[in-house]
Amino acid sequence: MAGLALITGASSGIGAELAREHARRGGDVVLVARRADRLADLARELESEHGVRAHTEPLDLTADGAVERLVRALEERRLVVDVLVNNAGFGGQGRFHEREWRLDQAMIRLNVMALTELTRRLLPGMVE
């Protein structure tokens, strides 16, 4: 069995495809992204086509305390993550000094802080 994979940015694109591949291999998934409707659609698809459990956690990982809320939700559901796929992320365009600082801050929170904090919080359970 492929174990339980938590996949961020799972509502579309690469994240959704990684979730499909993990489910094809028999693994359960925790799908994390901002768009609850897309997560729910994907969860139904994975459960019906592959017979796996697909949990959804609609969440904006750029928000303050988002990783803590996610970890708490996993603990409440008694879900132990075996595989972490830090897929969520985005980039900036244009001249750095002309871009909106709040967007660059959100990009740093997601691409660096959330990814690192989530890895740090889930790694001990994955090592066990």
Side-chain angles (χ1 to χ4, degrees):
M1 183 121 169
L4 177 67
L6 186 144
I7 303 167
T8 66
S11 62
S12 64
I14 294 170
E17 288 306 313
L18 290 169
R20 287 182 180 105
E21 182 60 30
H22 191 73
R24 268 193 281 279
R25 295 172 184 223
D28 295 340
V29 292
V30 178
L31 307 171
V32 180
R34 293 173 296 154
R35 295 175 284 193
D37 57 335
R38 288 191 180 189
L39 290 180
D41 290 346
L42 180 58
R44 281 190 294 276
E45 171 193 326
L46 299 179
E47 289 179 343
S48 69
E49 290 185 18
H50 303 290
V52 299
R53 294 282 317 259
H55 308 273
T56 62
E57 286 296 331
L59 187 64
D60 181 353
L61 289 170
T62 67
D64 288 339
V67 171
E68 179 62 34
R69 287 191 298 280
L70 176 55
V71 170
R72 193 169 41 246
L74 294 171
E75 289 169 351
E76 288 170 2
R77 291 180 172 191
R78 294 183 179 7
L79 297 174
V80 177
V81 174
D82 299 300
V83 177
L84 173 60
V85 180
N86 277 310
N87 172 71
F90 69 95
Q93 293 183 315
R95 295 177 179 202
F96 178 70
H97 69 283
E98 294 175 348
R99 296 194 314 239
E100 286 187 57
W101 177 236
R102 69 173 185 79
L103 294 177
D104 282 339
Q105 285 177 309
M107 180 176 59
I108 292 165
R109 278 193 304 274
L110 180 60
N111 295 357
V112 179
M113 298 302 294
L115 174 149
T116 304
E117 184 181 358
L118 194 52
T119 302
R120 184 169 185 83
R121 296 292 304 273
L122 298 181
L123 189 58
M126 292 189 298
V127 170
E128 279 184 28

